[in-house]
């Protein structure tokens, strides 16, 4: 018997690379190529944050919750915030996925879902996507201990209809259904209005993509009062002060600028649609994406080879060595200029 037998062993999630070199075209972690809203920079310049660090942050992150409440027209007691949506989702697993029955999620999806399930000893079952990477809706209507689905899905970018998402929520009254809307602002339809109707629905979003604040780590969720209370209880039983005071204030400042948010999101959508045309011209195929990335496969060249050639060139994209998707690349939509550099190289490389 050794101490190691009692260790909780986990195979961790592998995040995309954060290269140290300068001059990288970074299209591998779905970050936003534009700066956060100008109010964020202004607040950083004008606020004496050093003095605030002496005290603990507000455990309820009240200023941020108030700003989310105003921006999304939802009552404050139906909002939960965390350190990135990863934190919100991990807390949600702890709070809601506590059954002997398996939690359901797609086979091709955010690769953190099975990691949390293993870590928290939650039984799970994956529901295969069809050959077009579409969800098998009926698969999510079988007996379960919870459901989690990203919409749009990652890494495919495929958007499911709101009618089908409602069907899943409505037909699972005995479990919590989590809809992970990390990419919803790039052309998706949010399930937020359904929160009024279904007590078992949690809608999770993030500042990391559409609000250009991956470095701040802000995630948030909407749900019924009851659901949010249960989530708070778990959070306060884990760490009261998860979000730092600077992040709370900067997040609130970002939300105040709706025009900037809409402008940067539509720039990304525009560049995405233009990029799709370029991918097609170069012999790539992809399911239609409504997110800030495109999941492409080439008709002749292996994804892994393209991935390595791009990397040598200082262009980082994401390659997953996983069943069904090991001949695909997930390419984040950068600025038009960054995408032009990507396509210039691909054109030459693919001949
Ligand atoms: N959900 C999905 C589907 C994602 O792709 C990501 C990004 N890795 C996250 C959640 C987590 O994002 P964050 O913790 O930065 O909010």
């Amino acid at each position: 018997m050794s101490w190691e037998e009692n260790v909780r062993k986990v195979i961790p999630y592998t995040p995309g690379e954060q290269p140290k070199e300068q001059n990288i075209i970074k299209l591998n972690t779905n970050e936003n190529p534009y700066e956060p809203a100008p109010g964020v920079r202004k607040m950083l310049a004008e606020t004496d944050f050093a003095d605030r660090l002496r005290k603990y942050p507000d455990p309820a992150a009240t200023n941020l919750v108030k700003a989310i409440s105003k921006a999304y027209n939802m009552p404050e007691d139906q909002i939960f915030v965390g350190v990135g949506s990863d934190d919100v989702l991990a807390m949600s697993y702890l709070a809601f996925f506590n059954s002997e029955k398996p939690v359901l999620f797609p086979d091709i999806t955010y690769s953190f879902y099975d990691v949390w399930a293993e870590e928290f000893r939650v039984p799970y079952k994956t529901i295969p996507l069809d050959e077009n990477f579409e969800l098998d809706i009926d698969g999510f209507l079988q007996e379960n201990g919870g459901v989690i689905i990203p919409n749009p899905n990652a890494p495919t970018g495929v958007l499911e209809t709101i009618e089908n998402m409602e069907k899943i929520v409505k037909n699972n009254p005995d479990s919590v259904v989590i809809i992970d809307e990390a990419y919803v602002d790039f052309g998706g339809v949010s399930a937020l209005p359904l929160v009024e109707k279904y007590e078992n629905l949690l809608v999770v979003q993030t500042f990391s993509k559409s609000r250009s604040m991956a470095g701040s780590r802000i995630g948030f969720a909407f749900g019924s009062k009851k659901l949010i209370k249960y989530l708070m209880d778990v959070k306060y039983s884990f760490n009261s002060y998860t979000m730092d005071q600077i992040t709370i204030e900067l997040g609130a400042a970002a939300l105040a600028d709706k025009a900037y948010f809409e402008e940067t999101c539509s720039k990304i959508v525009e560049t995405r649609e233009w990029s799709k045309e370029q991918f097609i011209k170069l012999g790539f195929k992809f399911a239609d994406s409504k997110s800030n990335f495109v999941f492409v496969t080439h008709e002749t060249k292996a994804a892994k080879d393209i991935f390595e050639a791009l990397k040598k060139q200082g262009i980082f994209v994401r390659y997953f060595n996983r069943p069904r998707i090991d001949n695909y690349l997930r390419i984040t939509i950068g600025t038009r200029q960054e995408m032009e550099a990507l396509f210039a190289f691909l054109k030459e490389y693919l001949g």
Side-chain angles (χ1 to χ4, degrees):
M1 173 80 182
S2 112
W3 61 269
E4 272 188 291
E5 279 173 49
N6 292 323
V7 169
R8 182 176 294 250
K9 297 180 192 75
V10 286
I11 301 170
Y13 168 76
T14 320
E17 230 179 303
Q18 296 296 121
K20 301 281 180 295
E21 309 95 291
Q22 299 293 306
N23 300 323
I24 294 291
I25 297 185
K26 200 172 170 305
L27 309 175
N28 68 332
T29 50
N30 298 341
E31 288 142 335
N32 195 309
Y34 303 109
E35 273 204 17
V40 172
R41 183 181 284 276
K42 189 162 178 276
M43 177 166 275
L44 272 171
E46 292 173 2
T47 312
D48 182 7
F49 280 121
D51 182 58
R52 299 215 185 163
L53 296 182
R54 210 165 36 77
K55 290 194 216 151
Y56 281 109
D58 169 12
T62 310
N63 288 350
L64 178 60
V65 170
K66 276 189 192 303
I68 294 172
S69 166
K70 194 167 162 221
Y72 290 84
N73 198 21
M74 282 293 283
E76 289 170 38
D77 55 7
Q78 291 190 250
I79 299 168
F80 179 81
V81 297
V83 184
S85 49
D86 282 341
D87 181 46
V88 176
L89 293 169
M91 295 287 163
S92 303
Y93 267 62
L94 267 180
F96 305 128
F97 295 165
N98 197 28
S99 161
E100 311 267 288
K101 295 177 199 161
V103 164
L104 309 178
F105 47 82
D107 64 335
I108 301 169
T109 195
Y110 184 30
S111 50
F112 223 137
Y113 293 168
D114 57 346
V115 174
W116 286 313
E118 298 281 353
E119 180 171 19
F120 300 136
R121 313 275 196 265
V122 176
Y124 64 96
K125 181 173 174 186
T126 57
I127 310 297
L129 300 182
D130 72 13
E131 65 281 9
N132 301 317
F133 293 154
E134 301 277 347
L135 286 182
D136 166 15
I137 300 302
D138 290 338
F140 290 93
L141 308 184
Q142 63 186 287
E143 223 186 352
N144 64 71
V147 173
I148 177 162
I149 302 175
N151 197 34
N153 196 4
T156 63
V158 173
L159 181 74
E160 188 50 72
T161 64
I162 199 68
E163 291 75 20
N164 277 338
M165 296 313 286
E166 179 164 11
K167 189 173 173 191
I168 293 171
V169 179
K170 190 178 178 174
N171 288 291
N172 281 295
D174 298 334
S175 39
V176 172
V177 176
I178 301 177
I179 304 183
D180 177 353
E181 295 187 338
Y183 302 101
V184 77
D185 296 321
F186 303 107
V189 180
S190 177
L192 180 55
L194 301 179
V195 163
E196 289 302 300
K197 244 167 118 177
Y198 301 99
E199 209 175 38
N200 62 323
L201 169 65
L202 190 77
V203 175
V204 180
Q205 295 193 8
T206 178
F207 279 48
S208 298
K209 328 290 177 176
S210 55
R211 297 192 186 269
S212 308
M213 290 178 76
S216 269
R217 311 300 297 122
I218 305 175
F220 56 112
F222 301 105
S224 60
K225 265 190 211 177
K226 240 192 206 172
L227 213 62
I228 296 301
K229 170 72 168 61
Y230 280 127
L231 205 42
M232 297 276 198
D233 288 348
V234 164
K235 176 226 155 121
Y236 288 131
S237 311
F238 193 82
N239 178 355
S240 316
Y241 307 108
T242 53
M243 188 176 273
D244 72 82
Q245 197 60 40
I246 301 174
T247 297
I248 292 170
E249 304 303 339
L250 296 182
L255 277 175
D257 199 336
K258 193 166 176 236
Y260 182 84
F261 167 68
E262 286 171 354
E263 183 197 322
T264 46
C265 285
S266 44
K267 273 205 268 190
I268 289 168
V269 169
E270 211 174 284
T271 309
R272 178 188 70 207
E273 295 309 311
W274 174 80
S275 298
K276 286 177 186 172
E277 293 166 19
Q278 313 311 308
F279 280 124
I280 291 168
K281 281 187 199 158
L282 290 169
F284 286 95
K285 284 198 192 117
F286 48 86
D288 194 29
S289 166
K290 293 283 183 207
S291 59
N292 68 336
F293 55 84
V294 186
F295 197 50
V296 300
T297 186
H298 194 261
E299 53 197 14
T300 54
K301 268 276 178 210
K304 193 156 189 284
D305 295 344
I306 305 174
F307 167 76
E308 275 157 12
L310 282 170
K311 195 167 173 181
K312 265 197 206 133
Q313 202 63 25
I315 304 175
F316 282 50
V317 300
R318 193 84 194 263
Y319 172 72
F320 299 92
N321 194 3
R322 287 192 155 221
R324 290 190 75 186
I325 57 170
D326 59 357
N327 200 24
Y328 283 80
L329 296 172
R330 192 196 66 191
I331 302 181
T332 305
I333 302 301
T335 60
R336 172 74 180 238
Q337 204 185 4
E338 287 174 320
M339 300 314 280
E340 278 170 2
L342 167 81
F343 292 121
F345 173 76
L346 285 176
K347 201 169 168 188
E348 201 181 293
Y349 175 74
L350 297 165

